Amino acid sequence: NRGKRLSNLELLKNRLIYLSTLIKDSDDLRKGINDVWATIYKEFGDEKLKKVDEDNFLKEHWIMYFEYDRSISDPAKVFLLNKKFTAKNINSNELKKEDIFTYILSLQKSIIQWAKIIKADHEDADVKLWLDKLNRLHWRSFRPLAMAVLLKEEDSNNIVEFLKACERFNFLII
């Protein structure tokens, strides 16, 4: 108890741990959840990310991983906690241990890329430059897409071309 509301990210962790208690032989899942959140908390412990709202990461990962829904308030929280990761879905076999593992591993890989985007930190100097430019333009809605690109694309030239297109679009709509 830190004297403040739990973030949606913390609520999700608690929910996933609870769901793991409903699954037989799920000690490895609980360990996996704790390992993933250790990675997440390590990234948020970085000085450059201390002032960033961790729920932004969860929302942007949700957009990248699932779907975007503008019709309700706080759609990521509603979807993750009320529709996807529920005891009902575990009991009806709509949600399996493997599904949770796949999701948490995606969270773990994504937080690393998301942190690189926020910190404009990349091995390639050109990618780093363009990440910095986009951070100054506030990304608009491109950050989930950029996270997906950084997860999948290994060619720095392709990443730079993508980031240039994002910057060009952002500049034109400002």
Side-chain angles (χ1 to χ4, degrees), residues 128-152:
K128 191 174 184 170
L129 173 73
W130 285 97
L131 288 173
D132 186 49
K133 284 182 179 188
L134 280 158
N135 279 332
R136 283 185 265 131
L137 284 175
H138 304 293
W139 282 95
R140 304 263 184 256
S141 56
F142 286 108
R143 202 161 40 209
L145 185 57
M147 186 169 39
V149 168
L150 288 176
L151 280 167
K152 299 290 183 189

mmCIF file of all heavy atoms in Angstrom, residues 128-152:
data_model
loop_
_atom_site.group_PDB
_atom_site.id
_atom_site.type_symbol
_atom_site.label_atom_id
_atom_site.label_comp_id
_atom_site.label_asym_id
_atom_site.label_seq_id
_atom_site.Cartn_x
_atom_site.Cartn_y
_atom_site.Cartn_z
ATOM 1 N N LYS A 128 18.439 6.896 -33.679
ATOM 2 C CA LYS A 128 18.433 7.695 -32.443
ATOM 3 C C LYS A 128 18.042 9.145 -32.746
ATOM 4 O O LYS A 128 17.221 9.741 -32.045
ATOM 5 C CB LYS A 128 19.808 7.611 -31.792
ATOM 6 C CG LYS A 128 19.882 8.159 -30.423
ATOM 7 C CD LYS A 128 21.261 7.865 -29.842
ATOM 8 C CE LYS A 128 21.316 8.341 -28.409
ATOM 9 N NZ LYS A 128 22.489 7.908 -27.711
ATOM 10 N N LEU A 129 18.621 9.711 -33.798
ATOM 11 C CA LEU A 129 18.311 11.083 -34.194
ATOM 12 C C LEU A 129 16.827 11.253 -34.500
ATOM 13 O O LEU A 129 16.184 12.205 -34.046
ATOM 14 C CB LEU A 129 19.154 11.473 -35.411
ATOM 15 C CG LEU A 129 18.831 12.821 -36.046
ATOM 16 C CD1 LEU A 129 19.327 13.957 -35.159
ATOM 17 C CD2 LEU A 129 19.448 12.908 -37.425
ATOM 18 N N TRP A 130 16.265 10.318 -35.267
ATOM 19 C CA TRP A 130 14.864 10.429 -35.649
ATOM 20 C C TRP A 130 13.926 10.151 -34.482
ATOM 21 O O TRP A 130 12.849 10.755 -34.385
ATOM 22 C CB TRP A 130 14.570 9.532 -36.863
ATOM 23 C CG TRP A 130 15.122 10.160 -38.091
ATOM 24 C CD1 TRP A 130 16.323 9.902 -38.696
ATOM 25 C CD2 TRP A 130 14.529 11.228 -38.829
ATOM 26 N NE1 TRP A 130 16.505 10.735 -39.767
ATOM 27 C CE2 TRP A 130 15.421 11.566 -39.879
ATOM 28 C CE3 TRP A 130 13.343 11.930 -38.714
ATOM 29 C CZ2 TRP A 130 15.149 12.560 -40.792
ATOM 30 C CZ3 TRP A 130 13.072 12.930 -39.633
ATOM 31 C CH2 TRP A 130 13.968 13.240 -40.655
ATOM 32 N N LEU A 131 14.322 9.271 -33.577
ATOM 33 C CA LEU A 131 13.517 9.063 -32.365
ATOM 34 C C LEU A 131 13.467 10.358 -31.558
ATOM 35 O O LEU A 131 12.402 10.747 -31.055
ATOM 36 C CB LEU A 131 14.098 7.929 -31.516
ATOM 37 C CG LEU A 131 13.932 6.516 -32.048
ATOM 38 C CD1 LEU A 131 14.711 5.523 -31.185
ATOM 39 C CD2 LEU A 131 12.467 6.112 -32.128
ATOM 40 N N ASP A 132 14.601 11.029 -31.444
ATOM 41 C CA ASP A 132 14.659 12.287 -30.712
ATOM 42 C C ASP A 132 13.774 13.340 -31.371
ATOM 43 O O ASP A 132 13.037 14.063 -30.693
ATOM 44 C CB ASP A 132 16.111 12.770 -30.618
ATOM 45 C CG ASP A 132 16.240 13.991 -29.747
ATOM 46 O OD1 ASP A 132 15.696 13.978 -28.620
ATOM 47 O OD2 ASP A 132 16.880 14.964 -30.188
ATOM 48 N N LYS A 133 13.829 13.430 -32.690
ATOM 49 C CA LYS A 133 12.982 14.402 -33.404
ATOM 50 C C LYS A 133 11.507 14.130 -33.135
ATOM 51 O O LYS A 133 10.728 15.056 -32.883
ATOM 52 C CB LYS A 133 13.244 14.331 -34.915
ATOM 53 C CG LYS A 133 14.526 14.969 -35.353
ATOM 54 C CD LYS A 133 14.668 14.879 -36.860
ATOM 55 C CE LYS A 133 15.948 15.531 -37.331
ATOM 56 N NZ LYS A 133 16.025 15.630 -38.785
ATOM 57 N N LEU A 134 11.117 12.872 -33.208
ATOM 58 C CA LEU A 134 9.709 12.535 -32.986
ATOM 59 C C LEU A 134 9.297 12.747 -31.537
ATOM 60 O O LEU A 134 8.146 13.112 -31.270
ATOM 61 C CB LEU A 134 9.424 11.109 -33.446
ATOM 62 C CG LEU A 134 9.246 11.033 -34.959
ATOM 63 C CD1 LEU A 134 9.498 9.636 -35.472
ATOM 64 C CD2 LEU A 134 7.866 11.503 -35.340
ATOM 65 N N ASN A 135 10.198 12.541 -30.606
ATOM 66 C CA ASN A 135 9.871 12.828 -29.208
ATOM 67 C C ASN A 135 9.572 14.311 -29.020
ATOM 68 O O ASN A 135 8.674 14.671 -28.256
ATOM 69 C CB ASN A 135 11.012 12.393 -28.275
ATOM 70 C CG ASN A 135 10.959 10.914 -27.977
ATOM 71 O OD1 ASN A 135 9.900 10.301 -28.001
ATOM 72 N ND2 ASN A 135 12.106 10.337 -27.699
ATOM 73 N N ARG A 136 10.293 15.159 -29.724
ATOM 74 C CA ARG A 136 10.031 16.599 -29.631
ATOM 75 C C ARG A 136 8.702 16.975 -30.281
ATOM 76 O O ARG A 136 8.085 17.962 -29.904
ATOM 77 C CB ARG A 136 11.180 17.390 -30.237
ATOM 78 C CG ARG A 136 12.375 17.431 -29.282
ATOM 79 C CD ARG A 136 13.483 18.314 -29.791
ATOM 80 N NE ARG A 136 14.428 17.441 -30.493
ATOM 81 C CZ ARG A 136 14.913 17.668 -31.694
ATOM 82 N NH1 ARG A 136 14.576 18.728 -32.356
ATOM 83 N NH2 ARG A 136 15.751 16.827 -32.248
ATOM 84 N N LEU A 137 8.254 16.194 -31.260
ATOM 85 C CA LEU A 137 6.961 16.448 -31.911
ATOM 86 C C LEU A 137 5.802 15.745 -31.196
ATOM 87 O O LEU A 137 4.659 15.845 -31.623
ATOM 88 C CB LEU A 137 6.990 15.965 -33.372
ATOM 89 C CG LEU A 137 7.738 16.835 -34.348
ATOM 90 C CD1 LEU A 137 7.779 16.167 -35.716
ATOM 91 C CD2 LEU A 137 7.092 18.202 -34.461
ATOM 92 N N HIS A 138 6.096 14.991 -30.168
ATOM 93 C CA HIS A 138 5.098 14.313 -29.336
ATOM 94 C C HIS A 138 4.418 13.111 -30.001
ATOM 95 O O HIS A 138 3.368 12.695 -29.568
ATOM 96 C CB HIS A 138 4.045 15.284 -28.822
ATOM 97 C CG HIS A 138 4.640 16.426 -28.077
ATOM 98 N ND1 HIS A 138 5.275 16.290 -26.869
ATOM 99 C CD2 HIS A 138 4.753 17.740 -28.398
ATOM 100 C CE1 HIS A 138 5.733 17.447 -26.463
ATOM 101 N NE2 HIS A 138 5.437 18.348 -27.382
ATOM 102 N N TRP A 139 4.961 12.585 -31.038
ATOM 103 C CA TRP A 139 4.575 11.322 -31.658
ATOM 104 C C TRP A 139 3.150 11.259 -32.184
ATOM 105 O O TRP A 139 2.866 10.479 -33.060
ATOM 106 C CB TRP A 139 4.778 10.149 -30.692
ATOM 107 C CG TRP A 139 6.192 9.729 -30.597
ATOM 108 C CD1 TRP A 139 7.088 10.134 -29.661
ATOM 109 C CD2 TRP A 139 6.899 8.851 -31.454
ATOM 110 N NE1 TRP A 139 8.298 9.557 -29.886
ATOM 111 C CE2 TRP A 139 8.215 8.749 -30.985
ATOM 112 C CE3 TRP A 139 6.557 8.129 -32.588
ATOM 113 C CZ2 TRP A 139 9.176 7.972 -31.589
ATOM 114 C CZ3 TRP A 139 7.509 7.346 -33.189
ATOM 115 C CH2 TRP A 139 8.807 7.273 -32.687
ATOM 116 N N ARG A 140 2.250 11.957 -31.608
ATOM 117 C CA ARG A 140 0.827 11.799 -31.921
ATOM 118 C C ARG A 140 0.436 10.331 -31.698
ATOM 119 O O ARG A 140 0.696 9.796 -30.655
ATOM 120 C CB ARG A 140 0.514 12.252 -33.341
ATOM 121 C CG ARG A 140 0.924 13.652 -33.619
ATOM 122 C CD ARG A 140 -0.255 14.594 -33.455
ATOM 123 N NE ARG A 140 0.135 15.929 -33.812
ATOM 124 C CZ ARG A 140 0.381 16.874 -32.907
ATOM 125 N NH1 ARG A 140 0.285 16.616 -31.641
ATOM 126 N NH2 ARG A 140 0.713 18.075 -33.288
ATOM 127 N N SER A 141 -0.132 9.680 -32.675
ATOM 128 C CA SER A 141 -0.585 8.291 -32.477
ATOM 129 C C SER A 141 0.368 7.258 -33.071
ATOM 130 O O SER A 141 0.009 6.104 -33.226
ATOM 131 C CB SER A 141 -1.969 8.122 -33.094
ATOM 132 O OG SER A 141 -1.931 8.482 -34.449
ATOM 133 N N PHE A 142 1.586 7.658 -33.372
ATOM 134 C CA PHE A 142 2.519 6.748 -34.033
ATOM 135 C C PHE A 142 3.332 5.870 -33.087
ATOM 136 O O PHE A 142 3.981 4.940 -33.524
ATOM 137 C CB PHE A 142 3.495 7.529 -34.927
ATOM 138 C CG PHE A 142 2.858 8.038 -36.175
ATOM 139 C CD1 PHE A 142 2.599 9.386 -36.328
ATOM 140 C CD2 PHE A 142 2.520 7.173 -37.190
ATOM 141 C CE1 PHE A 142 2.013 9.858 -37.486
ATOM 142 C CE2 PHE A 142 1.934 7.639 -38.351
ATOM 143 C CZ PHE A 142 1.674 8.982 -38.494
ATOM 144 N N ARG A 143 3.355 6.157 -31.799
ATOM 145 C CA ARG A 143 4.234 5.405 -30.903
ATOM 146 C C ARG A 143 3.907 3.912 -30.854
ATOM 147 O O ARG A 143 4.826 3.096 -30.891
ATOM 148 C CB ARG A 143 4.261 6.024 -29.515
ATOM 149 C CG ARG A 143 5.503 5.615 -28.768
ATOM 150 C CD ARG A 143 5.874 6.480 -27.597
ATOM 151 N NE ARG A 143 4.778 6.925 -26.810
ATOM 152 C CZ ARG A 143 4.776 8.068 -26.119
ATOM 153 N NH1 ARG A 143 5.820 8.853 -26.131
ATOM 154 N NH2 ARG A 143 3.737 8.414 -25.408
ATOM 155 N N PRO A 144 2.634 3.479 -30.801
ATOM 156 C CA PRO A 144 2.374 2.032 -30.845
ATOM 157 C C PRO A 144 2.883 1.387 -32.136
ATOM 158 O O PRO A 144 3.429 0.281 -32.124
ATOM 159 C CB PRO A 144 0.852 1.922 -30.736
ATOM 160 C CG PRO A 144 0.426 3.188 -30.100
ATOM 161 C CD PRO A 144 1.400 4.234 -30.558
ATOM 162 N N LEU A 145 2.725 2.094 -33.231
ATOM 163 C CA LEU A 145 3.210 1.585 -34.508
ATOM 164 C C LEU A 145 4.743 1.525 -34.515
ATOM 165 O O LEU A 145 5.335 0.556 -34.982
ATOM 166 C CB LEU A 145 2.699 2.466 -35.651
ATOM 167 C CG LEU A 145 3.014 2.014 -37.064
ATOM 168 C CD1 LEU A 145 2.494 0.619 -37.336
ATOM 169 C CD2 LEU A 145 2.437 3.009 -38.054
ATOM 170 N N ALA A 146 5.374 2.561 -33.961
ATOM 171 C CA ALA A 146 6.842 2.571 -33.884
ATOM 172 C C ALA A 146 7.344 1.432 -33.007
ATOM 173 O O ALA A 146 8.350 0.787 -33.319
ATOM 174 C CB ALA A 146 7.329 3.906 -33.345
ATOM 175 N N MET A 147 6.634 1.157 -31.913
ATOM 176 C CA MET A 147 7.014 0.045 -31.051
ATOM 177 C C MET A 147 6.954 -1.262 -31.835
ATOM 178 O O MET A 147 7.872 -2.089 -31.748
ATOM 179 C CB MET A 147 6.080 -0.004 -29.830
ATOM 180 C CG MET A 147 6.457 -1.021 -28.797
ATOM 181 S SD MET A 147 5.550 -0.871 -27.222
ATOM 182 C CE MET A 147 3.888 -0.444 -27.673
ATOM 183 N N ALA A 148 5.919 -1.450 -32.621
ATOM 184 C CA ALA A 148 5.791 -2.661 -33.435
ATOM 185 C C ALA A 148 6.911 -2.751 -34.463
ATOM 186 O O ALA A 148 7.480 -3.823 -34.684
ATOM 187 C CB ALA A 148 4.425 -2.694 -34.127
ATOM 188 N N VAL A 149 7.236 -1.620 -35.086
ATOM 189 C CA VAL A 149 8.306 -1.616 -36.084
ATOM 190 C C VAL A 149 9.641 -1.970 -35.437
ATOM 191 O O VAL A 149 10.400 -2.789 -35.964
ATOM 192 C CB VAL A 149 8.384 -0.252 -36.815
ATOM 193 C CG1 VAL A 149 9.661 -0.125 -37.630
ATOM 194 C CG2 VAL A 149 7.165 -0.074 -37.712
ATOM 195 N N LEU A 150 9.937 -1.377 -34.285
ATOM 196 C CA LEU A 150 11.201 -1.678 -33.611
ATOM 197 C C LEU A 150 11.273 -3.129 -33.146
ATOM 198 O O LEU A 150 12.352 -3.712 -33.080
ATOM 199 C CB LEU A 150 11.430 -0.736 -32.435
ATOM 200 C CG LEU A 150 11.781 0.701 -32.806
ATOM 201 C CD1 LEU A 150 11.881 1.570 -31.563
ATOM 202 C CD2 LEU A 150 13.057 0.784 -33.611
ATOM 203 N N LEU A 151 10.119 -3.718 -32.846
ATOM 204 C CA LEU A 151 10.092 -5.132 -32.451
ATOM 205 C C LEU A 151 10.378 -6.054 -33.627
ATOM 206 O O LEU A 151 11.016 -7.090 -33.469
ATOM 207 C CB LEU A 151 8.730 -5.498 -31.853
ATOM 208 C CG LEU A 151 8.503 -5.101 -30.413
ATOM 209 C CD1 LEU A 151 7.021 -5.245 -30.065
ATOM 210 C CD2 LEU A 151 9.346 -5.936 -29.476
ATOM 211 N N LYS A 152 9.911 -5.684 -34.806
ATOM 212 C CA LYS A 152 9.975 -6.586 -35.961
ATOM 213 C C LYS A 152 11.105 -6.294 -36.941
ATOM 214 O O LYS A 152 11.657 -7.195 -37.553
ATOM 215 C CB LYS A 152 8.648 -6.545 -36.740
ATOM 216 C CG LYS A 152 7.445 -6.974 -35.950
ATOM 217 C CD LYS A 152 7.464 -8.432 -35.665
ATOM 218 C CE LYS A 152 6.205 -8.846 -34.931
ATOM 219 N NZ LYS A 152 6.262 -10.185 -34.457
#
